[in-house]
């Protein structure tokens, strides 16, 4: 017998809101939602490799690009259906990730971050020069999502019951379904052997190794999974935009994804989704602000300043991110009399109780 | 399960610093073998070498006759060696149960694809190994703390989690590095009893570094005394207690 | 042969600027084990400030540089004191993200204040060039090499010859131990940020002096100091200097001699290719040391 709790009510309402959004809200709003949903899928990738496994990689933009170009080649040049190019985008990116990862993960901490920055920069250079695949600096088109008769090309509409759904709305539902599947995966991963191994590596790599965890293999898996989600997100992104250019796949894009995971809450299921909403909807929100138009200030810059400040605030004050806040809040309203377990009083733990330290990788101490 | 452990002429050096040299000993299957000595005598360095974190410059090390020096730290679990750390190596943001479950990692098989699907192999495994982990928690009387993040626990309970995790690995050799150090005396007795119970029921070989003389002398079958990186005595507890070299170097100073 | 010589000299000049920027990274790393990913943005800020003061407000060039140094150095010190120090030493990932966040935020602020159009630095060397035989270099670049050598020498003197240098090496090596023997670790740390600020501004000046100009892409040029840092070894200032020069030379040689099959702009990417190779083959660089891990 399921209980009616405030949290459950809220979740149900949220579900209804999610499903009703494309029908109720304006196409502009829905369009922003599509970008957010796609970004959330990509953010789950960063969540796996950086949130869970603690490997700070800035290579995400590179794998997003791989996904987009795979979609372009398979769906555009070869006219294949989305049923093929969406998973293929993920798989190609994952394979490349799995090939690069074993050498990359030999590097720790700082060095790994730096080498992934180099990956993005070298990647951009490659994308400009491999113009057969990428259209060079001018860019290339990426096909619309098409499975059989379901065609999301611009201008097409679909009659579903009493509603007429346009391109934005259809992309919304498609990406929503994919995001739900990805979130389910991440949830299951976190509860399983591999997920625990990743968390263990994050907290203490040597300690994990001594327990029998093959740290290299787990890290490679993390990278491959991260690349897989990035590939799918990149493919969907390119498909929705219809056109991509190499200078989009920049270091800044990678940083935005990492920011989304940190702000939302790393190593959680919904944190990356919340974070994606904050980071990727922000420019659109800022654009609506009236006083900005006169000053000629680019919304992207204002957004950059805002989330730079937010990241710093989160890392220093709210390391569990927005989800941490939500969690504390829901715990308070559902069990008001239960205090969180109190910190140790019997003696000093060898390492200071780092309840507030972020789960971002403290891999030098067992 | 239990296994034999043999070390011959082990020496470790970091440049001019020599934590220990010429250490030889052998541990029979099912034996409880204690290693004692003043602080800085090289006990933890020796343990780190036994658990393959450090590579010794000379000597041989055999587990059931197999050359252990060829193994890496992550091979130990599959070889049946479990180790606890003096300064704890718990995963601070994970719960007690999750920490202990990592100990079962090498006994589980579910990979990233199975994990994602959940139903089927992963769910079965999680349940089965979850029970085993709970058993270890119950042994250490911390079953009610299963979902608590370990960083929120007092030190004594953290020590119990570390021990529970080592036990749940189903080892044939347990390397315990000061398992009760820093713990209040009442809890110590309880933990010592757990160690004895585990030993009695599974016959696991135990190598124990400890400062608590009562525990060592009552539990150990044989004791090895290190001082300044060298073995100065090796024998049964009564032999050690009577050995003038040991008394000189160590037992005269404050014990537990 | 002349082309080679010209390339080498040009490489030396750009390399000496990279050396300064890389030294800025290295100094901060030694003081606090933090890689200041915002160094590039500080370089950018320095260049824009000098340009704004010199061109828009007619401030004499040297004075503009001094003022810019004051602003950037103070900003860096404040940032470290108020934000970075709150992180625990082991939390490397957070320091990376925070300095990157600073970098992005700072670049955005600069763009809001100054826009994206190119502007002149306002340097006094103009279009003068200096020629020796078949090799010629813009005057600004010659000054760049000269000043870099001076600054490098000054730094080495500071590091090896003064108590401050000793204090810096002590706190880099073991902060707790340094504190225990009375090294004013926090002050040392602040000073390393100040030095980084000085180096950022000077580097910025020579990266944007004629024939270059002040544009937002300067911070990506500064990013090329990373490979220099890695090549030299993260914790070795002399390594950073050496690495800077080598990377500068590699970059210009790559630009001059790049075969067509490597496509356009291989020279912008060449430093990173070198860096990747170094990280795979010898991650601690030419002069760096492997960190010891205590279990």
């Amino acid at each position: 017998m399921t209980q009616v709790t405030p949290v459950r009510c809220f979740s149900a309402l949220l579900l209804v809101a999610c499903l009703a959004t494309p029908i109720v809200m304006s196409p502009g709003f829905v369009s922003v939602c599509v970008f957010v949903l796609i970004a959330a899928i990509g953010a789950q990738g960063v969540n796996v490799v950086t949130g869970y496994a603690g490997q700070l990689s800035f290579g995400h933009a590179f794998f997003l690009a791989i996904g987009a170009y795979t979609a372009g080649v398979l769906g555009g040049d070869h006219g294949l259906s989305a049923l093929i190019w969406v998973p293929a985008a993920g798989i190609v990116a994952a394979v490349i990730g799995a090939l690069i990862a074993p050498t990359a993960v030999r590097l720790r901490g700082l060095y790994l971050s730096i080498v992934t920055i180099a990956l993005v920069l070298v990647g951009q250079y490659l994308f400009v020069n491999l113009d057969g695949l990428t259209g060079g600096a001018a860019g290339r088109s990426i096909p619309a999502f098409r499975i059989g008769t379901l065609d999301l090309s611009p201008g097409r509409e679909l009659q579903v019951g009493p509603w007429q759904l346009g391109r934005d709305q259809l992309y919304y539902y498609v990406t929503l379904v994919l995001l739900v599947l990805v979130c389910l995966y991440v949830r299951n991963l976190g509860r399983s052997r591999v997920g625990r191994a990743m968390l263990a590596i994050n907290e203490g790599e040597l300690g994990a190794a001594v327990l029998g965890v093959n740290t290299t293999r787990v890290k490679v898996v993390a990278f491959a999974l991260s690349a897989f989600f990035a590939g799918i997100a990149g493919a969907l992104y390119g498909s929705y935009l219809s056109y991509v250019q190499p200078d989009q796949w920049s270091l800044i894009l990678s940083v935005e994804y990492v920011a989304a995971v940190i702000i939302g809450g790393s190593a959680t299921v919904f944190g990356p989704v919340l974070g994606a909403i904050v980071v990727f909807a922000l420019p659109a929100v800022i654009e609506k602000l009236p006083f900005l138009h006169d000053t000629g200030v680019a919304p992207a810059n204002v957004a950059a300043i805002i989330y730079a400040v937010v990241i710093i605030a989160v890392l220093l004050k709210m390391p569990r991110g927005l989800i941490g806040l939500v969690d504390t809040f829901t715990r308070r309203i559902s069990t008001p009399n239960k205090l969180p377990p109190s910190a140790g009083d019997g003696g000093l733990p060898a390492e200071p109780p780092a309840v507030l330290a972020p789960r971002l990788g403290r891999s030098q101490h067992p | 399960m239990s296994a034999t452990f043999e070390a011959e002429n082990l020496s470790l050096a970091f440049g001019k610093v020599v934590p220990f040299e010429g250490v030889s000993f052998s541990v029979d299957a099912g034996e409880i073998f204690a290693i004692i000595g003043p602080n800085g005598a090289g006990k933890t360095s020796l343990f780190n070498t036994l658990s393959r974190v450090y590579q010794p410059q000379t000597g041989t090390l055999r587990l059931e006759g197999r050359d252990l020096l060829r193994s890496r730290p992550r091979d130990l679990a599959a070889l049946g060696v479990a180790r606890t750390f003096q300064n704890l190596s718990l995963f601070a943001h994970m719960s007690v149960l999750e920490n202990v479950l990592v100990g079962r990692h090498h006994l589980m098989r579910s990979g990233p694809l199975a994990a994602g699907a959940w139903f089927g192999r992963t769910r079965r495994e999680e349940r089965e190994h979850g029970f085993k982990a709970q058993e270890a928690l119950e042994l250490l009387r911390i079953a009610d703390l299963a979902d608590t993040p370990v960083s929120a626990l007092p030190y004594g309970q953290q020590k119990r989690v570390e021990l529970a995790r080592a036990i749940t690995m189903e080892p044939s050799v347990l390397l315990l590095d000061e398992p009760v150090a820093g713990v209040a005396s009442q809890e110590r007795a309880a933990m010592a009893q757990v160690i004895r119970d585990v030993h009695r029921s599974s016959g696991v070989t135990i190598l124990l570094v400890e400062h608590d003389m009562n525990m060592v002398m009552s539990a150990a079958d044989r004791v090895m005394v290190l001082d300044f990186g060298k073995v100065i005595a090796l024998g049964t507890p009564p032999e050690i207690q009577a050995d003038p070299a040991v008394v000189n170097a160590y037992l005269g100073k404050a014990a537990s | 042969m002349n082309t080679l010589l010209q390339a080498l000299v040009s490489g030396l000049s750009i390399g000496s600027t990279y050396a300064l920027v890389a030294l800025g990274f290295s100094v901060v790393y030694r003081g606090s084990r933090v890689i200041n990913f915002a160094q590039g943005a500080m370089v950018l800020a320095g260049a824009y400030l000098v340009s704004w003061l010199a061109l828009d407000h007619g401030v004499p060039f040297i004075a503009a540089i001094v003022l810019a140094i004051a602003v950037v150095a103070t900003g860096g010190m404040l940032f470290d004191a108020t934000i970075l120090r709150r992180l625990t030493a082991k939390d490397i990932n957070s320091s990376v993200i925070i300095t990157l966040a600073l970098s992005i935020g700072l670049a955005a602020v600069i763009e809001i204040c100054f826009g994206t159009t190119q502007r002149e630095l306002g340097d006094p060397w103009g279009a003068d060039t200096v020629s020796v035989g078949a090799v010629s270099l813009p005057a600004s670049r010659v000054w760049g090499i000269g000043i870099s050598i001076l600054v490098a020498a000054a730094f080495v003197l500071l590091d090896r010859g003064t108590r401050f240098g000793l204090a810096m090496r002590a706190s880099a090596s073991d902060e707790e131990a340094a504190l225990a023997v009375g090294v004013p670790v926090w002050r040392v740390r602040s000073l390393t940020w100040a030095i980084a600020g000085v180096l950022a501004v000077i580097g910025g000046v020579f990266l944007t002096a004629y024939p270059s100009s002040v544009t937002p892409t300067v911070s990506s040029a500064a990013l090329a100091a990373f490979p220099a840092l890695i090549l030299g070894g993260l914790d070795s200032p002399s390594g950073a200097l050496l690495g800077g020069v080598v990377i500068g030379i590699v970059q210009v040689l790559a630009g001059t001699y790049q075969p067509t099959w490597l496509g356009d702009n291989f020279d912008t990417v060449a430093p990173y290719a070198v860096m990747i190779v170094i990280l795979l083959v010898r991650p601690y660089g030419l002069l760096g040391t492997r960190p010891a891990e205590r279990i």
Side-chain angles (χ1 to χ4, degrees):
Chain A
M1 175 68 183
T2 47
Q3 264 182 308
V4 177
T5 67
V7 175
R8 293 240 167 91
C9 275
F10 181 75
S11 308
L13 278 173
L14 200 60
L15 184 65
V16 171
C18 274
L19 289 172
T21 296
I23 300 168
V24 169
M25 306 299 289
S26 73
F29 185 91
V30 176
S31 180
V32 172
C33 288
V34 173
F35 283 117
V36 166
L37 288 170
I38 294 175
I41 292 175
Q44 288 290 20
V46 173
N47 191 22
V48 170
V49 74
T50 300
Y52 282 91
Q55 308 299 302
L56 184 56
S57 158
F58 291 106
H60 222 55
F62 177 75
F63 295 108
L64 287 162
I66 300 281
Y69 293 127
T70 305
V73 169
L74 291 180
D77 302 345
H78 297 273
L80 297 171
S81 125
L83 213 52
I84 298 196
W85 58 254
V86 170
I91 292 172
V92 170
V95 167
I96 295 181
L99 287 172
I100 295 179
T103 23
V105 300
R106 286 195 299 168
L107 302 167
R108 299 293 167 82
L110 272 175
Y111 293 95
L112 177 66
S113 309
I114 293 174
V115 91
T116 53
I117 291 178
L119 179 66
V120 171
L121 296 172
V122 172
Q124 281 189 296
Y125 156 81
L126 285 174
F127 298 139
V128 165
N129 286 296
L130 293 172
D131 45 10
L133 292 172
T134 66
R140 69 161 295 152
S141 65
I142 309 288
F145 190 95
R146 233 181 12 251
I147 299 182
T149 51
L150 176 65
D151 188 343
L152 270 55
S153 300
R156 306 272 279 188
E157 292 197 332
L158 191 68
Q159 188 77 25
V160 174
W163 299 299
Q164 187 89 339
L165 298 176
R167 184 173 198 262
D168 301 310
Q169 291 139 329
L170 291 169
Y171 263 99
Y172 178 97
Y173 286 119
V174 167
T175 51
L176 182 64
V177 166
L178 288 172
L179 177 61
V180 167
L181 289 174
V182 170
C183 288
L184 270 174
Y185 180 89
V186 172
R187 187 186 77 132
N188 292 337
L189 185 72
R191 300 193 291 171
S192 73
R193 172 187 182 250
V194 176
R196 270 193 304 269
M198 289 183 191
L199 286 169
I201 289 173
N202 190 344
E203 307 256 20
E205 197 164 328
L206 185 58
V210 170
L211 292 172
V213 174
N214 185 335
T215 54
T216 307
R217 193 192 305 169
V218 173
K219 287 196 272 189
V220 170
V221 166
F223 264 97
L225 282 173
S226 169
F228 181 77
F229 295 137
I232 294 192
L236 291 169
Y237 181 61
S239 169
Y240 186 57
L241 274 179
S242 325
Y243 200 86
V244 294
Q245 291 173 295
D247 58 5
Q248 285 171 269
W249 314 117
S250 63
L251 180 58
I252 295 191
L253 185 61
S254 288
V255 175
E256 285 176 354
Y257 274 94
V258 174
V261 170
I262 293 172
I263 292 174
S266 57
T268 64
V269 178
F270 292 113
V273 178
L274 275 186
I277 294 176
V278 170
V279 173
F280 291 91
L282 202 53
V285 166
I286 292 173
E287 236 173 4
K288 296 286 190 303
L289 295 174
F291 57 84
L292 259 175
H293 291 277
D294 313 322
T295 54
V297 171
N301 285 330
V302 179
I305 295 175
I306 293 179
Y307 65 68
V309 170
V310 172
I311 293 178
I312 294 179
V314 165
L315 281 174
L316 291 181
K317 290 290 179 197
M318 265 186 357
R320 286 167 60 215
L322 291 174
I323 283 288
L325 277 183
V326 170
D327 195 39
T328 320
F329 181 67
T330 51
R331 238 192 284 156
R332 288 233 186 92
I333 61 174
S334 57
T335 52
N337 295 319
K338 192 172 172 194
L339 294 168
S342 52
D345 54 312
L348 290 172
E351 190 165 270
V355 179
L356 293 182
R359 246 176 182 166
L360 284 176
R362 294 152 60 224
S363 51
Q364 257 122 353
H365 192 77
Chain B
M1 289 167 289
S2 67
T4 61
F5 217 87
E6 274 156 45
E8 204 175 296
N9 200 27
L10 284 177
S11 301
L12 181 68
F14 296 118
K16 292 235 178 79
V17 176
V18 179
F20 60 84
E21 59 180 342
V23 173
S24 301
F25 61 91
S26 74
V27 182
D28 299 326
E31 201 180 351
I32 297 185
F33 187 85
I35 301 173
I36 67 174
N39 280 323
K43 308 187 295 293
T44 297
S45 299
L46 181 61
F47 249 42
N48 284 341
T49 306
L50 299 182
S51 54
R52 305 307 304 112
V53 173
Y54 294 157
Q55 180 70 8
Q57 267 65 32
T58 71
T60 63
L61 186 63
R62 294 191 187 286
L63 174 70
E64 282 296 303
R66 175 214 173 99
D67 181 7
L68 199 59
L69 290 180
R70 299 251 221 93
S71 305
R72 280 166 303 185
R74 69 162 182 243
D75 301 325
L76 289 181
L79 291 171
V81 180
R83 174 204 171 149
T84 64
F85 283 82
Q86 184 180 13
N87 289 323
L88 294 179
S89 87
L90 295 176
F91 307 117
H93 294 97
M94 290 164 76
S95 71
V96 166
L97 184 60
E98 286 171 336
N99 265 276
V100 174
L101 275 169
V102 182
R104 301 221 41 107
H105 181 94
H106 72 107
L107 296 164
M108 296 169 80
R109 286 284 156 266
S110 156
L113 292 176
W118 187 257
F119 294 104
R121 180 200 286 181
T122 302
R123 191 164 71 147
R124 257 182 286 126
E125 243 189 19
E126 290 294 313
R127 221 181 306 168
E128 182 190 314
H129 292 268
F131 282 142
K132 291 282 184 172
Q134 278 289 131
E135 277 174 19
L137 291 182
E138 270 154 31
L139 202 58
L140 271 297
R141 319 276 164 115
I142 47 175
D144 53 329
L145 296 172
D147 295 322
T148 321
V150 297
S151 51
L153 294 177
Y155 187 65
Q157 284 172 335
Q158 289 179 337
K159 282 286 217 189
R160 286 173 184 256
V161 176
E162 179 110 347
L163 185 57
R165 191 171 63 179
I167 292 170
T168 203
M169 286 171 72
E170 298 185 15
S172 49
V173 176
L174 257 181
L175 300 174
L176 301 177
D177 194 351
E178 302 200 32
V180 298
V183 171
S185 57
Q186 201 180 6
E187 289 204 51
R188 281 192 195 205
M191 281 178 75
Q193 186 58 42
V194 170
I195 296 173
R196 275 196 287 271
D197 290 342
V198 167
H199 177 251
R200 198 184 8 237
S201 62
S202 69
V204 61
T205 309
I206 299 181
L207 275 81
L208 178 66
V209 166
E210 243 318 322
H211 284 291
D212 182 339
M213 285 305 120
N214 290 333
M215 183 180 170
V216 167
M217 297 305 171
S218 63
D221 296 317
R222 281 189 303 143
V223 179
M224 177 169 83
V225 186
L226 286 180
D227 195 17
F228 291 115
K230 294 206 173 56
V231 179
I232 61 172
L234 205 169
T236 64
E239 287 169 0
I240 294 300
Q241 276 167 317
D243 188 326
V246 174
V247 172
N248 242 348
Y250 184 60
L251 286 176
K253 301 180 189 150
S256 56
Chain C
M1 186 54 199
N2 284 335
T3 333
L4 179 62
L5 212 54
Q6 175 73 51
L8 283 174
V9 172
S10 298
L12 182 64
S13 91
I14 186 90
S16 58
T17 319
Y18 287 158
L20 289 184
V21 178
L23 185 61
F25 276 120
S26 183
V27 163
V28 169
Y29 183 74
R30 276 173 130 228
S32 46
R33 291 253 167 262
V34 166
I35 288 276
N36 176 21
F37 279 79
Q39 187 77 358
M42 284 163 68
V43 166
L44 192 67
Y48 269 102
L49 275 171
V50 170
S51 173
W52 179 67
L53 287 168
L55 286 183
D56 294 1
H57 294 269
V59 175
F61 193 61
I62 306 274
I65 294 181
V66 169
L67 277 171
I69 286 179
V71 171
V72 173
T74 315
M77 286 194 287
L78 273 175
F79 181 75
D80 176 53
T82 54
I83 294 176
L84 280 178
R85 284 198 209 165
R86 307 260 194 103
L87 298 172
T88 60
K90 290 179 233 158
D91 197 356
I92 294 178
N93 284 355
S94 290
S95 71
V96 171
I97 295 171
I98 286 186
T99 50
L100 261 178
L102 173 66
S103 174
I104 292 178
L106 188 55
V109 167
I110 292 172
E111 197 171 294
I112 289 179
C113 293
F114 295 106
T116 53
T117 47
Q118 223 166 331
R119 53 185 293 152
E120 301 282 306
L121 181 67
D123 61 273
W125 303 297
D128 301 345
T129 56
V130 172
S131 307
V132 174
V135 175
S136 76
L137 217 55
S140 62
R141 299 270 162 88
V142 177
W143 274 91
I145 297 178
I147 300 283
S148 301
I149 293 178
L150 272 174
V151 168
F155 179 82
V156 170
L157 207 65
L158 179 75
D159 189 44
R160 304 270 153 191
T162 67
R163 278 168 53 204
F164 172 72
L166 191 60
M168 198 167 58
R169 278 180 280 140
S171 43
S173 168
D174 188 332
E175 205 169 84
E176 264 181 47
L179 261 172
V181 297
V183 171
V185 164
W186 294 145
R187 240 188 292 157
V188 168
R189 203 173 143 140
S190 284
L191 277 169
T192 58
W193 277 83
I195 294 176
V198 170
L199 293 169
V201 173
I202 298 179
V205 162
F206 290 113
L207 273 174
T208 57
Y210 193 89
S212 303
S213 51
V214 184
T215 77
T217 56
V218 167
S219 57
S220 5
L223 211 56
F226 256 129
L229 185 64
I230 298 288
L231 176 59
L234 273 186
D235 59 342
S236 165
S238 22
L241 293 169
L242 176 65
V245 171
V246 171
I247 290 292
I249 293 178
V250 163
Q251 190 167 54
V252 174
L253 284 178
T256 315
Y257 292 111
Q258 74 181 0
T260 40
W261 58 267
L262 274 174
D264 297 329
N265 293 329
F266 180 66
D267 54 331
T268 40
V269 139
Y272 299 101
V274 169
M275 183 173 88
I276 291 177
V277 171
I278 299 279
L279 283 172
L280 296 178
V281 169
R282 202 188 153 114
Y284 301 109
L286 297 172
L287 300 176
T289 50
R290 198 202 168 101
E293 232 178 279
R294 185 112 182 35
I295 314 287

